[in-house]
Amino acid sequence: MSRAEVADRIAARFNSRFLQGYVRSKVRTDPVYEAVRVRLQGHEHPLVDVGCGIGLLPLYLREHGYSAPIVGLDFDRRKIDSAPQIDGVTFRSGDAREPLPQEHSVVMLDLLHYFTTGEQRAILANAARAVPRGGVVIIRDAVNDGSWRYRATYLAESFARIIAWLKAERLNFPTRATIEAAFAGFEQEIVPLYGRTPFNNYLFVFRRSRD
């Protein structure tokens, strides 16, 4: 199936016309879902999607045959309640600063910048502790590097808070060094993930050795 066809199939699972349009556009244009899928190919560990929102990543993974159990966590109860029922996926409200399910690989998409620097470090440490041998942590976030892309990202996120689509107390984009520091000893892959956007997004992939 093409990405557009997958987007249509996922969008059809939502009742709200607004969400259908949002989902269709998001899945078609945001490269992160395919980037995560590729890196989870053949992955056997259960997965926790921290900041799962309305469940787009679990839906995308299921559409592509990913069968491991998934836990979706989000602080915003409205979004959890909007997520469709998916076989093998459990959605629940939760705080990213709390301990994560153990022996799970971890995905965090566009989450860290809603927390203080100290909270970011605690969240990253929780993720590193949760991952089993052979497991992976995948993070997508914009990084604070002073670039024009960073400034564009900050403005866009500020607008999303104003219209109340994002339920967040603050914006505090992490530095690349803050993210990397939590995963000493992991194999690392760090690549820009701008897609066709002006946003300063990077994909961080940290794999724990099987040894």
Side-chain angles (χ1 to χ4, degrees):
M1 281 187 294
S2 69
R3 185 180 297 186
E5 290 171 327
V6 171
D8 289 342
R9 284 173 57 89
I10 294 174
R13 301 190 66 164
F14 292 84
N15 296 323
S16 158
R17 185 167 294 183
F18 167 76
L19 285 179
Q20 288 175 353
Y22 168 78
V23 168
R24 193 173 288 111
S25 174
K26 184 74 171 171
V27 175
R28 286 180 178 180
T29 61
D30 193 331
V32 73
Y33 304 111
E34 181 64 12
V36 172
R37 182 197 70 79
V38 167
R39 286 160 178 85
L40 289 177
Q41 246 174 344
H43 191 73
E44 71 275 16
H45 296 294
L47 182 71
V48 56
D49 179 9
V50 186
C52 65
I54 59 175
L56 294 190
L57 178 63
L59 283 162
Y60 191 90
L61 293 176
R62 285 293 189 259
E63 286 289 336
H64 290 85
Y66 183 84
S67 59
I70 303 174
V71 176
L73 298 176
D74 202 280
F75 184 71
D76 191 338
R77 185 79 235 182
R78 298 171 305 166
K79 293 183 179 179
I80 289 291
D81 289 343
S82 297
Q85 295 298 310
I86 313 168
D87 288 343
V89 180
T90 302
F91 291 109
R92 65 173 190 254
S93 59
D95 192 318
R97 292 163 290 193
E98 297 173 353
L100 297 176
Q102 294 300 294
E103 299 296 304
H104 280 60
S105 287
V106 180
V107 176
M108 293 187 289
L109 306 182
D110 306 322
L111 171 77
L112 291 171
H113 57 272
Y114 302 128
F115 298 92
T116 67
T117 301
E119 289 170 334
Q120 290 170 3
R121 293 192 178 109
I123 291 166
L124 293 167
N126 282 342
R129 283 192 291 268
V131 178
R133 295 188 183 279
V136 62
V137 177
I138 302 176
I139 299 165
R140 197 273 291 274
D141 219 313
V143 298
N144 183 351
D145 58 10
S147 66
W148 71 266
R149 284 185 177 276
Y150 164 68
R151 293 192 295 273
T153 308
Y154 193 94
L155 288 173
E157 290 284 310
S158 297
F159 177 74
R161 288 179 69 216
I162 290 170
I163 64 173
W165 174 245
L166 295 177
K167 189 176 181 180
E169 298 176 6
R170 68 188 62 80
L171 292 177
N172 178 42
F173 288 92
T175 65
R176 178 168 165 166
T178 295
I179 297 174
E180 289 183 77
F183 299 97
F186 285 65
E187 297 177 12
Q188 299 187 7
E189 176 192 2
I190 302 170
V191 295
L193 201 68
Y194 307 144
R196 297 179 180 178
T197 76
F199 306 134
N200 202 35
N201 290 325
Y202 280 77
L203 189 74
F204 297 80
V205 183
F206 302 101
R207 296 186 184 276
R208 186 185 289 278
S209 171
R210 293 183 180 275
D211 301 331

